[in-house]
């Protein structure tokens, strides 16, 4: 799904189901329980110390630890630190807001921190951001380092996702389409009986920032679409989305290729490249600041130097670029580079990554693989 495309379509009066039916053909709308739990990785590899322990504070209400009968008061602080350097045993202490010690123990393995009520919040102080307050409960895995996973029901999770993935000022139907896509994306990745977590809280999955990311419009979109998902047959789909599509989306097998551009994935029925233009020919995503873009102008010598920075694209002084292998959207599947040292073929993504890494830092970057060259006048 093109998010700017969804915005343009919503402004034109299209509803969320219509928007989603375009971007995910051959899918239907279904439901999944709003009680479905998502496990979100918040922190991993934390090397806590007695001077800087892993710290959690219960906000808005009391909270408890599995295996401990006490309900600790609002604003009580949990501190965890290894008993010694490289130890796998940890000192656990709970302090009242005024500093009084309420509980102490030596623990190993998992510590589970649960708020007293469903509306209570937990603050992961050790995650040094301004958005470190979360709904749900924490599972803390203690080895030589600490990992923190937020267990949260799907729609509460989405309240901290939708406003980060789409501006809350956008039309309600676009936000509803985003909520359904984001819910489907997350549920597709659930594997509750294996591993420690299902999704990351960053762009490796979809961005999640907990309670402080929530907005009125974003939460309204989640509520209005409660439990709704996209289905292919009876299965929840991998509802992938991106900022803008340049007037056309692409087949999945042409996007997720090998480093040399070889097709390695089979076609997915609902991830088909499609025209994303209005009847008058204008792109639905034309409001995107990157609907059109260009790089700086480079001589052959300058481009040769950029490509020589990486062994995957280094062919010495270049004599030709073959940009003919493209998908249905016009995006490059692969680029063949010919130069004094021979010929190499890389995926469009690798070409873009090498160019962006080695270009002069003040020059515009390649925003995607939908590009072509033209002669220097």
């Amino acid at each position: 799904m093109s998010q700017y495309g969804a915005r343009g379509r919503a402004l034109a009066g299209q509803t969320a189901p219509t928007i989603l039916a375009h971007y995910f053909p051959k899918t239907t709308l279904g439901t999944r329980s709003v009680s479905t739990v998502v496990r979100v990785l918040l922190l991993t590899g934390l090397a806590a110390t007695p001077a800087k322990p892993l710290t959690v504070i219960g906000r808005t209400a009391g909270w408890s630890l599995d295996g401990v009968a006490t309900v600790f008061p609002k604003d009580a602080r949990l501190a965890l630190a290894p008993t010694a350097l490289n130890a796998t045993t940890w000192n656990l202490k709970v302090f009242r807001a005024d500093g009084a010690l309420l509980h102490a123990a030596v623990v190993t393995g998992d510590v589970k921190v649960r708020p007293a009520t469903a509306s209570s919040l937990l603050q992961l102080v050790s995650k040094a951001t301004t958005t470190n307050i979360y709904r749900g409960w924490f599972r803390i895995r203690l080895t030589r380092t600490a990992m923190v996973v937020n267990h949260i029901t799907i729609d509460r999770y989405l309240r901290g996702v939708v406003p980060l993935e789409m501006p809350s000022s956008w039309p309600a139907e676009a936000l509803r389409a985003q909520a359904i896509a984001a819910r489907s994306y997350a549920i597709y990745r659930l594997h509750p009986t294996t591993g420690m977590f299902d999704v990351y809280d960053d762009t490796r999955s979809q961005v999640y920032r907990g309670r402080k990311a929530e907005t009125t419009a974003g939460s309204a979109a989640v509520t209005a679409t409660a439990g709704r998902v996209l289905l292919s047959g009876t299965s929840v789909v991998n509802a992938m989305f991106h900022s803008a599509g340049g007037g056309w989306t692409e087949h999945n097998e042409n996007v997720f290729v090998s480093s040399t551009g070889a097709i390695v994935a089979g076609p997915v029925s609902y991830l088909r490249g499609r025209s994303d233009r209005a009847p008058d020919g204008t792109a639905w995503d034309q409001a995107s600041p990157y609907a059109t873009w260009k790089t700086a102008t480079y001589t052959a010598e300058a481009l040769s130097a950029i490509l020589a920075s990486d062994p995957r694209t280094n062919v010495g002084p270049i004599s030709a670029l073959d940009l003919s292998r493209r998908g249905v959207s016009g995006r490059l599947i692969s680029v063949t580079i010919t130069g004094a040292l021979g010929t190499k073929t890389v995926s469009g993504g690798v070409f873009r990554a090498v160019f962006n890494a080695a270009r002069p830092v003040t020059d515009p970057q390649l925003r995607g693989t939908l590009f072509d060259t033209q002669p220097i006048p």
Side-chain angles (χ1 to χ4, degrees), residues 1 3 38-42 154-155 157-166 177-190 198-210 222 237-242:
M1 182 180 78
Q3 292 165 309
V38 183
R39 301 175 300 168
V40 190
L41 180 65
L42 301 180
I154 182 67
D155 281 16
Y157 161 73
L158 291 174
R159 288 164 67 175
V161 169
V162 171
L164 275 299
E165 293 292 354
M166 181 176 281
Q178 179 65 59
I180 294 169
R183 185 181 291 109
S184 304
Y185 182 96
I187 291 177
Y188 179 85
R189 284 160 175 77
L190 299 184
D198 302 309
V199 293
Y200 297 93
D201 70 347
D202 56 31
T203 54
R204 287 173 290 181
S205 297
Q206 49 191 358
V207 180
Y208 167 65
R209 292 291 180 267
V222 173
V237 310
N238 185 12
M240 308 186 81
F241 51 87
H242 48 87

Side-chain angles (χ1 to χ4, degrees), residues 59-313:
R59 299 298 190 188
T60 70
W63 56 276
S64 63
L65 298 169
D66 279 17
V68 178
T70 306
V71 175
F72 301 107
K74 169 188 170 184
D75 296 331
R77 171 170 55 92
L78 169 67
L80 287 159
T83 56
L85 183 65
N86 293 323
T88 58
T89 54
W90 291 62
N91 285 315
L92 180 154
K93 296 181 180 179
V94 179
F95 300 92
R96 202 165 55 201
D98 63 6
L101 180 65
L102 299 177
H103 180 75
V106 175
V107 296
T108 60
D110 287 357
V111 172
K112 296 178 180 178
V113 187
R114 300 184 190 270
T117 69
S119 61
S120 302
L121 303 170
L122 297 175
Q123 182 177 10
L124 180 56
V125 178
S126 298
K127 191 173 179 68
T129 70
T130 60
T131 55
N132 59 5
I133 296 177
Y134 303 93
R135 301 182 188 276
W137 61 275
F138 292 166
R139 179 182 180 184
I140 303 173
R141 168 59 61 89
L142 302 172
T143 55
R144 288 183 173 85
T145 60
M147 171 189 290
V148 182
V149 178
N150 184 194
H151 289 235
I152 183 169
T153 54
I154 182 67
D155 281 16
R156 286 195 172 114
Y157 161 73
L158 291 174
R159 288 164 67 175
V161 169
V162 171
L164 275 299
E165 293 292 354
M166 181 176 281
S168 293
S169 59
W170 283 15
E173 291 299 321
L175 289 167
R176 291 177 182 184
Q178 179 65 59
I180 294 169
R183 185 181 291 109
S184 304
Y185 182 96
I187 291 177
Y188 179 85
R189 284 160 175 77
L190 299 184
H191 45 93
T193 62
T194 59
M196 276 287 294
F197 66 94
D198 302 309
V199 293
Y200 297 93
D201 70 347
D202 56 31
T203 54
R204 287 173 290 181
S205 297
Q206 49 191 358
V207 180
Y208 167 65
R209 292 291 180 267
R211 171 64 184 86
K212 288 194 173 182
E214 295 175 12
T215 64
T216 300
S219 295
V222 173
T223 300
T225 64
R228 297 182 79 184
V229 293
L230 287 166
L231 301 176
S232 177
T234 59
S235 300
V236 177
V237 310
N238 185 12
M240 308 186 81
F241 51 87
H242 48 87
S243 178
W248 203 294
T249 59
E250 184 55 75
H251 293 345
N252 69 284
E253 67 271 22
N254 294 338
V255 176
F256 301 102
V257 296
S258 76
S259 62
T260 62
I263 302 295
V264 294
V268 176
S269 63
Y270 55 82
L271 296 177
R272 301 289 83 199
R274 308 187 74 186
S275 174
D276 201 20
R277 295 183 178 275
D280 65 1
T282 59
W284 287 114
D285 67 357
Q286 64 179 326
S288 167
Y290 303 116
T292 61
W293 49 269
K294 61 181 180 180
T295 68
T297 300
Y298 299 92
T299 63
E301 291 76 16
L303 185 56
S304 296
I306 290 172
L307 298 178
S309 67
D310 191 293
R312 294 172 295 179
T313 53

Side-chain angles (χ1 to χ4, degrees), residues 321-326 332 334-336 351 371-373:
L321 281 178
D322 183 352
L323 305 179
S324 63
R325 187 166 176 246
R326 297 175 181 270
L332 286 160
S334 64
V335 177
T336 298
F351 185 92
F371 68 88
D372 211 334
T373 60

